[in-house]
Amino acid sequence: MSENDIEHSHGMHVVHDGPRQAPPLLLIHGSGASGGFWGPVVPALAGRHHVIRVDLPGCGQSPPAPSYDVPAQAGQVAALLDDHGLRHVAVAGHSSGGYVATALAEQRPDLVGSLSLISSGPSPDALLRQPFILRVLLAPPLGPLMWPRRSDAMIRKGISATAVRPVDLPDDVVADVRGITYRVMRTVLRRNTAYIAERSMPERLAALQVPVQVIFGAADPRWEPSSAHQYDAVPDARVELLPGVGHLPMLEAPATVGELLLSFTATGRRRPVIPDA
């Protein structure tokens, strides 16, 4: 497979960038988003990695799925990696994509070499009161009525409400967001909350023997920024707070995020265990 290849596998739209022989780096988007949200950081990452971007089920260009439970989504990602014979993959997840990445490491530690979590809220109590436009769009009575009637401008406004710096949203990314249905979005949000309510992210990660990097915007309007320090409880976790950045670091500060990911994947990857002869 050459650079910039697209496939559909295990119910997911998948995009490959960079040389196939390079170390693999899997990028998992957050709720209601798509692999396109990683676009600004891909060029830098693809210079050193075989970058794999997935559209999770029901998001972007991927069809709906029977279950949106976080472990079920992680199982689909595991099947994709198995198909390609990949092991010890560096995995980065944005927002709830960090939950899928963590569930992947819980289910299949052989597949995950390191975890980078970007804007992934650690526990339900860290969730802030959401921006007004999101409250309107995501809750009854107006949500079910307005959601299918969202204009491009409204979608851009909703996404930008979670950022602090101006963000550039290409038309194809806006189209990806438009594709998710209200029912799927609400279900995904409930399943994500259930995952971190059952066990917090730091608790889950502390039980895993995998290098962890946490990147958080110091002005995140969705999650209390100081909650990033809950991850200090994870042995040897690297926690990075980005000043003047909101919930979308890949769009707000792509150069910084790219540098942090490349630095971590170069030094933080867990080495494969080679059995004694």
Side-chain angles (χ1 to χ4, degrees):
M1 188 176 288
S2 61
E3 297 183 10
N4 307 112
D5 277 301
I6 298 173
E7 65 171 324
H8 288 83
S9 178
H10 296 281
M12 294 180 296
H13 175 82
V14 185
V15 179
H16 299 260
D17 292 280
R20 289 294 296 275
Q21 67 272 20
L25 171 58
L26 172 67
L27 304 179
I28 306 176
H29 64 80
S31 303
S34 71
F37 276 67
W38 294 98
V41 300
V42 167
L45 300 178
R48 298 189 198 175
H49 288 277
H50 167 201
V51 179
I52 306 160
R53 287 180 284 166
V54 298
D55 285 356
L56 292 173
C59 297
Q61 300 180 53
S62 295
S67 172
Y68 295 97
D69 288 346
V70 172
Q73 295 187 71
Q76 290 178 258
V77 174
L80 168 69
L81 297 179
D82 280 336
D83 278 358
H84 288 279
L86 297 174
R87 294 292 183 273
H88 308 289
V89 177
V91 184
H94 172 246
S95 194
S96 61
Y99 306 159
V100 177
T102 300
L104 177 65
E106 290 175 324
Q107 292 177 18
R108 295 288 304 278
D110 59 310
L111 296 180
V112 179
S114 66
L115 285 172
S116 294
L117 309 180
I118 303 175
S119 306
S120 297
S123 57
D125 59 0
L127 188 66
L128 297 172
R129 182 174 173 80
Q130 299 302 287
F132 175 75
I133 187 170
L134 296 185
R135 299 201 307 271
V136 170
L137 286 172
L138 290 171
L142 294 179
L145 299 175
M146 294 183 63
W147 189 268
R149 296 174 173 82
R150 292 168 298 159
S151 65
D152 285 2
M154 187 178 294
I155 290 173
R156 293 178 189 276
K157 184 176 180 181
I159 295 171
S160 296
T162 67
V164 174
R165 301 181 184 181
V167 295
D168 181 25
L169 299 168
D171 291 343
D172 58 342
V173 170
V174 174
D176 284 344
V177 174
R178 178 183 299 285
I180 189 170
T181 68
Y182 180 80
R183 184 190 67 81
V184 168
M185 185 66 180
R186 290 275 296 181
T187 303
V188 166
L189 292 174
R190 287 196 299 268
R191 298 297 184 266
N192 292 337
T193 299
Y195 181 75
I196 59 173
E198 180 184 37
R199 291 177 70 200
S200 73
M201 287 291 286
E203 183 181 0
R204 290 177 181 277
L205 293 166
L208 300 174
Q209 295 182 341
V210 59
V212 174
Q213 175 186 54
V214 175
I215 301 172
F216 232 84
D220 192 323
R222 291 207 65 213
W223 297 94
E224 170 55 52
S226 65
S227 71
H229 289 295
Q230 292 184 29
Y231 288 100
D232 290 337
V234 181
D236 301 320
R238 304 183 190 181
V239 179
E240 304 278 355
L241 280 170
L242 307 185
V245 174
H247 188 65
L248 303 172
M250 318 91 65
L251 297 175
E252 298 176 67
T256 299
V257 171
E259 290 171 3
L260 288 172
L261 290 176
L262 287 173
S263 174
F264 183 63
T265 57
T267 61
R269 183 186 298 273
R270 177 176 56 192
R271 296 179 178 178
V273 176
I274 302 176
D276 294 336

